[in-house]
Amino acid sequence: YCFFILGHMLSFQFTMSRKVVRTSKFRHVFGQGVKADQCYDDIRISQMTWDSNFCSVNPKFVAMIVDASGGGAFMVLPLSKTGRIDMSYPTVCGHTGPVLDIEFCPHNDNIIASGSEDCSVMIWEIPDGGLTTSLTDPVVKLDGHSKRVGILSWHPTAHNVLMSAACDNVVILWNVARGEEVVRIDTVHTDLIYSACWNRDGSRILTACKDKFLRVLDPRKGTVLLEKEKPHEGSRPIRAVFVSDGKILTTGFSRMSERQVALWDPKNFGEPLTLQELDTSSGVLLPFFDPDTGVVYLCGKGDSSIRYFEITDEAPYVHYLSMYSSKESQKGIGSMPKRGLEVNKCEITRFYKLHERKCEPIVMTVPRKSDLFQEDLYPDTIGPEPSVEADEWFQGKDAPPIMISLKDGFVATTKAKEFKVHKSLLKTTTASVQSLRKEVKDLKAAIEELTKRVSELESKH
């Protein structure tokens, strides 16, 4: 009888242990820093205490926000220009205040946007071989915010549509080619916006705000479709991104200041699908989601590690995979688009990690013995071709991203979408916006004066 019971217990234990070990092709993903001669050295990375990536990268260039005297600057280097960077290397330095965020356009690798403490957004065109002299004049300057601009995000499928969010609690959608503000979302957020991003086809915007609300917005109407109060109990900054099937992943802090990651289903915002506590570090966790593999990477500012998780359809939904650790902490981090990776080396992600004085590429690989193209690792991915023009999108047209195969490595079969600015429209739209603002200001002053007179008359009678 004892042997019978023991046998049952061993059988149960074996079954449970089999359930615990989950099969996944990403369980053995490992990260590795490149050799010293493949890093970008002697770069004075910005000392600003702002929680953006400070870095943007594409298959041609890597851009980093750097320290600058008398204004704001960032450096754009061709990927091949590794090693020590000369102190006199040209920068993009047209802002009068420190640069807080930069992002390359997904549809043209030579176009980059920058947001700054000087309240402006600027669009720059980088020549193919990189800069030979410092850039001070942007292709387009976008004025519309009244406080520092800390968040930028290009539309994933619409050409020349840019979203900016600033410390004035306002989100603006710009038609960059016309240099005009098209949508202004200024009545939704009551406090500082921590993060703002698009969903896969750009038909929704997701924001996380200091007022402890997570919001899903209709970008063209500027209306709130869904909202969740206190996705994390703590008062420290929250980050949020759309993941597969419209779900939302958030990172934040508990009431006891423990860092957390949670997954939400917007159809039922009551309780999270899963909520995991990670550690007690103080750095904000920046999430990078890869829709092709379903893997999310959490990079903490000031951390020396990158954790990665796989998101699946079955509980517990967010499965811990592994962690890349190094000795030096990261001041910022950028992620290479899938089309810029080396598929023959089974590279599934490449990060560009900013140290105090250098930028170090971190390669994430799935170990495989075969040299053949691994179709399961590289499904068709988002290409650089936009699927809708700005005017069409603002009029209501949505379109899924145009996908490309990486089987033979990414080769640009068509010329990069040319960046054209309607210069004739720029002056008129800017002038008309400014005159409209002046009229509104004058009208407000007149209303205030009338209100004052009415109250004076009422007090007399």
Side-chain angles (χ1 to χ4, degrees):
Y1 178 73
C2 289
F3 277 115
F4 176 74
I5 295 293
L6 188 64
H8 266 278
M9 284 172 70
L10 286 169
S11 167
F12 177 74
Q13 246 180 340
F14 179 68
T15 310
M16 287 305 289
S17 66
R18 281 180 68 189
K19 281 183 180 175
V20 168
V21 178
R22 198 180 62 87
T23 56
S24 167
K25 58 193 167 207
F26 303 112
R27 270 188 65 210
H28 302 292
V29 169
F30 72 97
Q32 197 170 19
V34 299
K35 291 176 183 174
D37 62 344
Q38 291 175 282
C39 295
Y40 307 85
D41 278 314
D42 219 12
I43 298 164
R44 293 173 300 158
I45 301 300
S46 173
Q47 299 295 312
M48 288 296 294
T49 54
W50 185 257
D51 288 326
S52 72
N53 298 346
F54 279 25
C55 180
S56 186
V57 61
N58 66 28
K60 280 186 183 179
F61 303 106
V62 56
M64 298 153 278
I65 301 175
V66 293
D67 263 341
S69 54
F74 61 96
M75 189 175 275
V76 182
L77 301 170
L79 287 187
S80 58
K81 190 170 176 58
T82 53
R84 186 180 171 278
I85 307 301
D86 196 274
M87 290 280 282
S88 60
Y89 194 85
T91 57
V92 181
C93 51
H95 286 285
T96 55
V99 177
L100 300 179
D101 198 16
I102 50 175
E103 190 174 5
F104 277 112
C105 175
H107 308 124
N108 185 331
D109 289 342
N110 297 71
I111 298 296
I112 188 168
S114 59
S116 165
E117 274 202 358
D118 65 12
C119 310
S120 71
V121 176
M122 293 185 182
I123 311 297
W124 310 87
E125 187 161 15
I126 310 298
D128 266 338
L131 297 177
T132 50
T133 57
S134 288
L135 266 185
T136 54
D137 296 320
V139 182
V140 183
K141 185 181 178 188
L142 306 171
D143 289 316
H145 288 289
S146 59
K147 290 189 179 177
R148 57 184 180 172
V149 182
I151 300 169
L152 297 174
S153 184
W154 290 94
H155 194 286
T157 63
H159 191 216
N160 287 336
V161 175
L162 179 69
M163 168 170 62
S164 64
C167 294
D168 53 9
N169 314 336
V170 174
V171 174
I172 298 178
L173 303 187
W174 306 89
N175 183 334
V176 172
R178 293 177 179 272
E180 66 180 1
E181 170 190 310
V182 183
V183 178
R184 186 179 188 87
I185 305 171
D186 56 3
T187 57
V188 171
H189 304 94
T190 60
D191 212 327
L192 180 69
I193 299 163
Y194 285 140
S195 74
C197 69
W198 304 92
N199 65 347
R200 192 171 170 83
D201 68 352
S203 59
R204 296 285 179 268
I205 288 172
L206 172 64
T207 64
C209 183
K210 195 177 179 179
D211 63 11
K212 298 191 176 179
F213 274 92
L214 194 66
R215 296 178 175 92
V216 179
L217 310 175
D218 181 316
R220 284 164 288 222
K221 293 177 183 172
T223 52
V224 179
L225 301 173
L226 297 161
E227 63 182 12
K228 168 67 185 170
E229 190 176 10
K230 288 191 179 176
H232 297 273
E233 290 290 330
S235 57
R236 305 214 52 234
I238 296 167
R239 287 286 183 279
V241 289
F242 281 109
V243 293
S244 306
D245 303 322
K247 293 187 180 71
I248 291 166
L249 183 123
T250 59
T251 63
F253 293 81
S254 70
R255 201 170 284 164
M256 305 297 290
S257 288
E258 293 162 311
R259 291 200 293 194
Q260 297 177 323
V261 58
L263 189 70
W264 305 85
D265 184 352
K267 293 168 191 165
N268 179 16
F269 249 157
E271 291 294 321
L273 294 172
T274 181
L275 189 146
Q276 299 177 26
E277 287 181 351
L278 302 175
D279 57 30
T280 53
S281 294
S282 59
V284 174
L285 285 167
L286 308 175
F288 292 86
F289 178 66
D290 179 356
D292 300 342
T293 59
V295 176
V296 66
Y297 302 85
L298 302 184
C299 310
K301 271 212 142 182
D303 287 11
S304 55
S305 61
I306 299 170
R307 288 183 178 86
Y308 32 108
F309 301 78
E310 187 175 3
I311 297 175
T312 61
D313 293 331
E314 69 275 353
Y317 304 103
V318 179
H319 306 269
Y320 175 73
L321 291 171
S322 189
M323 179 165 66
Y324 164 78
S325 293
S326 63
K327 290 176 183 175
E328 293 184 75
S329 60
Q330 55 232 13
K331 290 184 68 65
I333 202 152
S335 175
M336 174 67 81
K338 197 57 77 74
R339 57 193 172 88
L341 303 179
E342 294 189 50
V343 294
N344 57 330
K345 293 182 181 174
C346 295
E347 184 184 11
I348 59 165
T349 304
R350 191 189 313 148
F351 289 110
Y352 285 73
K353 173 181 169 179
L354 303 184
H355 301 246
E356 288 273 345
R357 300 281 299 187
K358 74 171 181 179
C359 172
E360 176 193 20
I362 309 287
V363 177
M364 297 283 181
T365 334
V366 177
R368 294 276 170 97
K369 288 179 181 176
S370 171
D371 291 333
L372 298 172
F373 178 71
Q374 306 294 312
E375 288 192 29
D376 60 328
L377 297 182
Y378 300 106
D380 285 359
T381 192
I382 295 173
E385 193 69 27
S387 49
V388 61
E389 287 298 322
D391 290 336
E392 297 174 305
W393 184 79
F394 280 116
Q395 285 161 18
K397 182 181 177 183
D398 286 319
I402 296 171
M403 311 300 275
I404 57 168
S405 170
L406 296 176
K407 189 162 187 176
D408 302 312
F410 172 67
V411 181
T413 50
T414 55
K415 191 177 182 292
K417 198 76 178 169
E418 196 177 348
F419 184 73
K420 287 182 181 173
V421 178
H422 304 286
K423 296 222 169 172
S424 58
L425 290 164
L426 281 183
K427 288 175 187 170
T428 54
T429 52
T430 309
S432 58
V433 167
Q434 285 172 348
S435 64
L436 199 63
R437 284 213 185 98
K438 190 177 181 299
E439 281 176 35
V440 169
K441 198 175 176 183
D442 293 344
L443 199 61
K444 279 181 180 174
I447 290 166
E448 280 172 16
E449 185 62 33
L450 280 168
T451 312
K452 194 178 170 185
R453 283 186 186 178
V454 168
S455 59
E456 283 173 0
L457 284 167
E458 283 175 344
S459 63
K460 281 179 183 175
H461 291 289

